[in-house]
Amino acid sequence: MLHVAVVGSGPSGCYTAQSLVQQDPDVKVDVLDRLPCPYGLVRYGVAPDHEKIKSLQNNLRTVLEHERVRFLGGVQIGPDGVPAARLREMYHAVVYCVGAATDRHLGIPGEDLPGSWSATEFVSWYSAHPDAVDDGFVAGARSAVVIGVGNVAVDVARMLARGTAELSPTDMPQAALTALAASRVAEVTMVGRRGPSQARFTTKELRELGTLPDTEVTVDPAELAMDPAYADPSALPAPQRRNVEVLRGWAQSTGPRARHRIGLRFFLRPVELLADAGRVGAVRFERTAPDGRGGVTGTGRYEDLEAQLVLRSVGYRGVPLEGLPFDPAAGTVPHLAGRVLREGLVAPGEYVAGWIKRGPTGVIGTNRPCAKETVTSLLEDSDALARKDVPEEPLTALRAEGAEPVEWAGWQAIERAEAALGASLGRGIVKLPDWQSLMAAAHDNAP
């Protein structure tokens, strides 16, 4: 029987495990994760008010409860954990599904001022990621600028405008709920360097901004008109055409002044974050213009937008994993149909799937065909892989390396603790926000 380790329990890891056990009845899979909790970005990246998307956890749960799949959380691969080379000795094959763990930087002066954060850090905080820092994101802020016009940018803008009544029923950690309830942020501006027809958000996410209670959405008609595709969007792909139609509706409406205002701005490129009393106080943008080739060019005209909170949402980026080759330009592991390449040659028994394979692109469902391609490669190699001598029980070998895996019963104990915490606060399930509380709950396995 082939024994495969899948590193990462997000969608790409779970779909890889699912494809393996569906396609070969003689495969057993251990799904390893650094965190004691499964589901990756479905747990720690999907906004808490998006219950429908979060319900995908139920599909991933079915995979992890399969009789030939085992979840092993709290297992670090690489520095301060199990070396990648040692992990390869424990299994016939290892599939790395470690995602894209960091964010892209703007590379402009003032980016590191207090009050300037990546959207990833903000999302981790309100999603209760145990590595998140609670550093007063919204404390003292009256206005916020979100740099980027993708779905993550829409998420963080929406969270800043949501009220306590809408957030309390979610699984948002109590400290984040309390902080957002006390927030004085009234003005949120999302800014893109190109035009509305090139924005990356989906229409469903965009429309949701217009349904927020006591929130006005504004768009500058003059900026929309700068986009050559705005006047006649008929040639655009359907998603972009629908986005333009939504934005056109907002540009023509003049609703009553609301408690929160979300503004969408286009053709502005950030060039500097300006300090005020040692913190970020404004963002300086250069006006851009279409260059006729799908890009933009600077115009030499500048505009400052006040902001005591700046969230950059300009994309994720993969990071090197010790013991694996890495392409720093692409932020991915070099591969051939999912087979890891070392100096251009296939590395036997090593595979990748998900964002670390293809880059941070696509939606959750994009991981299915990506995982299937990798699994097809692995199973084509199975005869050679099966000849390798491996420990009969890799869990014993992992523990010998100092790992203390959180098994499925431990994760179920965390779920019970989160339900109990929510009940004590008069809410539904409330996430445990830190390593200490998660590990304490995981080791309380009494039903």
Side-chain angles (χ1 to χ4, degrees):
M1 178 169 276
L2 209 63
H3 211 150
V4 178
V6 171
V7 181
S9 65
S12 64
C14 287
Y15 293 149
T16 297
Q18 182 180 48
S19 190
L20 279 165
V21 295
Q22 283 180 343
Q23 293 190 50
D24 192 328
D26 292 324
V27 173
K28 291 174 68 175
V29 183
D30 283 350
V31 178
L32 281 56
D33 203 292
R34 182 177 70 88
L35 299 175
C37 310
Y39 312 136
L41 279 181
V42 176
R43 176 174 167 90
Y44 288 118
V46 174
D49 61 339
H50 275 178
E51 288 299 325
K52 186 172 181 180
I53 302 176
K54 288 174 72 69
S55 69
L56 281 170
Q57 290 185 14
N58 296 328
N59 298 344
L60 304 185
R61 171 187 290 274
T62 302
V63 176
L64 295 176
E65 289 182 334
H66 189 280
E67 61 183 1
R68 286 185 282 121
V69 177
R70 178 169 59 178
F71 172 70
L72 299 174
V75 178
Q76 172 79 31
I77 306 301
D80 304 319
V82 180
R86 180 71 184 105
L87 185 68
R88 290 197 297 274
E89 295 171 354
M90 299 178 192
Y91 292 89
H92 293 107
V94 180
V95 187
Y96 293 93
C97 306
V98 292
T102 190
D103 58 276
R104 295 184 182 276
H105 289 254
L106 298 170
I108 61 175
E111 187 171 8
D112 296 326
L113 281 169
S116 167
W117 303 89
S118 73
T120 307
E121 291 169 309
F122 188 60
V123 170
S124 292
W125 169 67
Y126 68 58
S127 298
H129 194 292
D131 291 339
V133 292
D134 183 0
D135 210 4
F137 287 95
V138 296
R142 302 177 305 279
S143 56
V145 165
V146 181
I147 299 172
V149 282
N151 280 347
V152 175
V154 174
D155 279 348
V156 299
R158 194 178 67 254
M159 286 297 105
L160 288 168
R162 280 281 193 208
T164 311
E166 298 111 70
L167 293 177
S168 185
T170 73
D171 60 6
M172 179 179 283
Q174 188 66 22
L177 177 65
T178 302
L180 289 171
S183 167
R184 293 168 50 228
V185 174
E187 190 94 16
V188 182
T189 307
M190 286 173 54
V191 186
R193 63 184 177 87
R194 298 195 292 176
S197 68
Q198 295 162 315
R200 295 296 185 90
F201 39 60
T202 56
T203 309
K204 182 181 178 185
E205 292 260 352
L206 181 64
R207 283 192 180 122
E208 200 172 354
L209 294 177
T211 68
L212 299 176
D214 204 16
T215 300
E216 176 190 13
V217 182
T218 65
V219 189
D220 184 342
E223 289 180 349
L224 298 183
M226 290 173 61
D227 190 328
Y230 179 71
D232 180 13
S234 59
L236 291 173
Q240 282 74 32
R241 186 173 67 249
R242 289 192 291 266
N243 286 344
V244 167
E245 290 166 356
V246 172
L247 292 166
R248 179 181 277 122
W250 285 336
Q252 295 168 350
S253 68
T254 54
R257 179 74 188 197
R259 179 167 167 262
H260 293 106
R261 184 162 69 167
I262 298 176
L264 285 92
R265 301 289 307 274
F266 297 96
F267 294 110
L268 291 172
R269 177 166 58 202
V271 294
E272 185 177 3
L273 271 59
L274 306 175
D276 180 14
R279 291 180 55 84
V280 67
V283 186
R284 177 160 293 165
F285 290 93
E286 180 184 15
R287 168 65 68 195
T288 62
D291 64 4
R293 301 184 302 275
V296 292
T297 184
T299 64
R301 291 182 285 121
Y302 297 89
E303 178 180 347
D304 295 350
L305 290 181
E306 178 191 342
Q308 298 79 38
L309 171 64
V310 175
L311 299 171
R312 66 175 181 272
S313 181
V314 290
Y316 293 94
R317 181 170 176 79
V319 296
L321 187 64
E322 188 177 69
L324 275 185
F326 189 71
D327 178 353
T332 58
V333 171
H335 72 93
L336 178 66
R339 296 177 177 93
V340 170
L341 296 175
R342 292 182 179 272
E343 298 180 354
L345 300 176
V346 169
E350 294 180 287
Y351 303 85
V352 284
W355 280 0
I356 199 64
K357 171 186 172 184
R358 68 180 192 276
T361 60
V363 295
I364 289 173
T366 313
N367 290 294
R368 279 188 183 275
C370 174
K372 189 172 182 180
E373 178 190 58
T374 296
V375 168
T376 298
S377 295
L378 191 157
L379 293 179
E380 286 174 356
D381 304 339
S382 61
D383 287 347
L385 296 173
R387 289 196 286 269
K388 175 182 172 184
D389 287 330
V390 298
E392 187 172 335
E393 175 47 276
L395 185 54
T396 304
L398 286 168
R399 287 178 172 141
E401 290 292 322
E404 296 180 18
V406 173
E407 298 186 61
W408 194 248
W411 161 238
Q412 291 175 310
I414 291 173
E415 289 185 302
R416 289 194 298 272
E418 292 184 335
L421 174 60
S424 73
L425 296 167
R427 298 173 58 196
I429 291 170
V430 173
K431 285 181 184 170
L432 298 173
D434 57 78
W435 280 99
Q436 184 177 355
S437 57
L438 285 169
M439 297 309 290
H443 291 114
D444 178 15
N445 286 340

